[in-house]
Amino acid sequence: MQPFPDDEDTVGTDPAASGGWAGSGDDSVGAHPTPTLTRLADEGTAFDNAFATAPWTLPSHASFFTGTYPSEHGTHGNHTYLDDDLRTLPEAFADAGYQTIGVSNNTWITEEFGFDRGFEDLRKGWQYIQSDADMGAVVRGEDLREKLIATRNRLFDGNPLVNAANILYSEVFQPAGDDGSNRSTDWIDDWLGSRTDDRPFFLFCNFIEPHVEYDPPREYAERFLPEGASYEEATAVRQDPRAYDCEDYDISDREFAMLRGLYRAELAYVDHQLGQLREALVAHDEWEDTLLVVCGDHGEHIGEHGFFGHQYNLYDTLLNVPLVFHGGPFTDGGRRNELVQLLDLPATLLETAGIDDPELREQWSSRSLHPGSSDDARDAVFAEYVAPQPSIDRLEARFGDIPDRVRQYDRRLRAIRTPEYKYVRGDDGFERLHHVRTDPFERTDVSDEEPETVRRLRRRIEEQFEPLADAGIVEEVEMRDGTKERLADLGYL
């Protein structure tokens, strides 16, 4: 399924008893990285034209947690917190009597940024023992000396015994090439087997392996690397998207080919974890009663359009994401080609579970994808990039003089996509138009040739967003040092 997801999320609900998750699949050597997801799509319903509302984790998750666009929820690069006055999907399920569990492997999706609301338990997948103290500085040490210094500086930040256990796990026992998904899968398996709560449950999990840095297990990487490339050569390629954007270093075509191979291997590894989750649900007699949703929160550039990572633009490479439903009314639903958005998840899940939540419904722009829904189909989808992340000031602080092409990304972008056209407009006057039926990779700007189409789509964007409250420039939430280091490791800072 192209384009591939970056972070991959699974959302499970079980109106009958308890809820869940994912698929299985054949992990035999080959060029196809996602047999589990393909099997789920074949057995359930796949949405081929699903779009995120933003090209990176924080605003995209905020949208499908609340059913709102970035202009509405106001969570973006200059305001990195999901405001308390917004109703969330986990809150709706919790108030409807569900046990609500979250497992996050992405530092953005934590209580620090407001994503814990509605969850009885929101676990941090990168920690062996749940703790507010993050030992990420130890993990990122380049050599033994750096690791020892980081241990000395951080060990007593909170409970030293808990910190020591987390360091031991990350440095000795964490599986090679895994960034939390294996342990998350094991934890969910154990939780399913040990729970005695008779309530149905809502379960959310974010896997982060398909994300910089791409470091899949060797056995997965070797399936997808280009001919003649070794695992050692591929993993030695520098992976620093912001430095690449700022022309601090270059990546050759061959190196990009190796990075794409590593990325596909990361997808294959996560796909295997989805299979393990499906097996756990089957083993604990939950599978038949489970509604499963698998989606990517955004895509990834690995050389496309001259970018590395997922910032500063609204190309479909970043917005067109996988979306698969399995179970209940979505069984044997085939492939659906209508335009849909990730922010349609709240309306869809609540209708499927038979839950009415007036507070959430009042705020959302969500439309149900339930096969029996009376909601109108979309004739267009929208996306926003409210503020650069990281900011241009941060790039200048790190790199000094930055290229003019990067400086021009200090702008706000909005996009509309119809079945035929994609139009993007910036608050600096930037605009481009693509005829996506003949130019699906958005390489040719036809705005000069079709001025009437530009005017029509510009009006649609203004009608959609101008009445909304402006997501203004607000000071960022102060992050803990450990959070900053982990986000920098993921290419965000």
Side-chain angles (χ1 to χ4, degrees), residues 193-475:
S194 63
R195 72 185 297 263
T196 57
D197 197 313
D198 61 0
R199 291 176 295 168
F201 67 71
F202 172 91
L203 177 64
F204 166 84
C205 184
N206 173 289
F207 288 149
I208 201 171
E209 272 78 5
H211 204 294
V212 171
E213 290 184 359
Y214 314 137
D215 57 348
R218 177 188 290 267
E219 63 269 28
Y220 284 85
E222 288 176 347
R223 301 181 196 174
F224 299 101
L225 291 177
E227 185 175 354
S230 69
Y231 177 77
E232 289 75 17
E233 183 185 10
T235 54
V237 177
R238 182 181 176 187
Q239 298 186 41
D240 190 341
R242 303 292 76 81
Y244 174 78
D245 289 342
C246 291
E247 301 178 0
D248 189 59
Y249 79 112
D250 192 28
I251 302 177
S252 68
D253 290 345
R254 174 175 170 77
E255 288 172 330
F256 267 131
M258 289 189 287
L259 291 177
R260 293 186 193 105
L262 293 177
Y263 183 63
R264 291 172 67 85
E266 294 273 35
L267 292 167
Y269 180 67
V270 168
D271 193 74
H272 168 74
Q273 298 299 333
L274 291 176
Q276 296 300 107
L277 285 167
R278 177 173 184 160
E279 291 180 9
L281 285 164
V282 171
H284 298 296
D285 296 324
E286 304 288 359
W287 181 245
E288 295 301 323
D289 293 321
T290 293
L291 171 67
L292 163 72
V293 181
V294 183
C295 67
D297 63 338
H298 57 76
E300 190 84 336
H301 281 138
I302 312 177
E304 296 86 353
H305 300 287
F307 285 97
F308 183 21
H310 48 270
Q311 296 291 342
Y312 306 129
N313 57 79
L314 293 175
Y315 287 108
D316 277 8
T317 328
L318 303 186
L319 299 176
N320 187 196
V321 294
L323 178 61
V324 173
F325 284 70
H326 183 282
F330 295 96
T331 302
D332 296 325
R335 308 194 76 90
R336 290 171 56 174
N337 295 316
E338 71 265 33
L339 294 170
V340 302
Q341 303 227 237
L342 293 187
L343 60 73
D344 294 328
L345 288 176
T348 306
L349 293 179
L350 292 189
E351 179 172 0
T352 304
I355 297 171
D356 182 31
D357 192 283
E359 186 178 354
L360 185 56
R361 178 163 33 84
E362 179 67 23
Q363 78 183 23
W364 74 29
S365 297
S366 192
R367 301 187 189 185
S368 176
L369 308 178
H370 188 287
S373 174
S374 61
D375 286 355
D376 293 335
R378 295 184 181 277
D379 64 351
V381 292
F382 299 88
E384 297 180 276
Y385 190 65
V386 176
Q389 170 60 37
S391 69
I392 302 304
D393 288 345
R394 282 189 175 180
L395 293 179
E396 288 180 325
R398 178 182 174 190
F399 300 106
D401 290 336
I402 59 175
D404 289 340
R405 83 175 190 100
V406 175
R407 195 176 303 280
Q408 72 181 357
Y409 301 141
D410 191 11
R411 63 190 174 199
R412 181 174 184 163
L413 294 174
R414 285 170 168 170
I416 178 174
R417 192 192 191 284
T418 71
E420 189 170 4
Y421 287 100
K422 170 77 169 291
Y423 173 70
V424 183
R425 182 169 180 80
D427 63 1
D428 60 351
F430 166 84
E431 64 181 2
R432 61 182 174 87
L433 176 71
H434 299 280
H435 189 259
V436 291
R437 289 195 190 277
T438 58
D439 180 27
F441 299 108
E442 300 172 85
R443 292 171 176 156
T444 304
D445 179 7
V446 296
S447 56
D448 289 341
E449 289 82 0
E450 300 195 40
E452 180 51 41
T453 302
V454 168
R455 285 191 290 270
R456 175 171 56 83
L457 295 179
R458 184 190 302 148
R459 284 194 300 270
R460 285 290 305 275
I461 287 181
E462 292 171 352
E463 291 168 359
Q464 176 68 37
F465 292 116
E466 288 302 322
L468 302 178
D470 184 29
I473 302 304
V474 182
E475 288 298 317

Side-chain angles (χ1 to χ4, degrees), residues 158-211:
N159 187 321
L161 294 179
V162 170
N163 293 342
N166 283 335
I167 292 170
L168 188 63
Y169 169 72
S170 63
E171 294 301 305
V172 179
F173 295 114
Q174 187 173 21
D178 182 87
D179 201 10
S181 65
N182 183 72
R183 185 164 176 270
S184 297
T185 303
D186 287 346
W187 182 86
I188 293 168
D189 187 10
D190 291 342
W191 177 76
L192 286 169
S194 63
R195 72 185 297 263
T196 57
D197 197 313
D198 61 0
R199 291 176 295 168
F201 67 71
F202 172 91
L203 177 64
F204 166 84
C205 184
N206 173 289
F207 288 149
I208 201 171
E209 272 78 5
H211 204 294

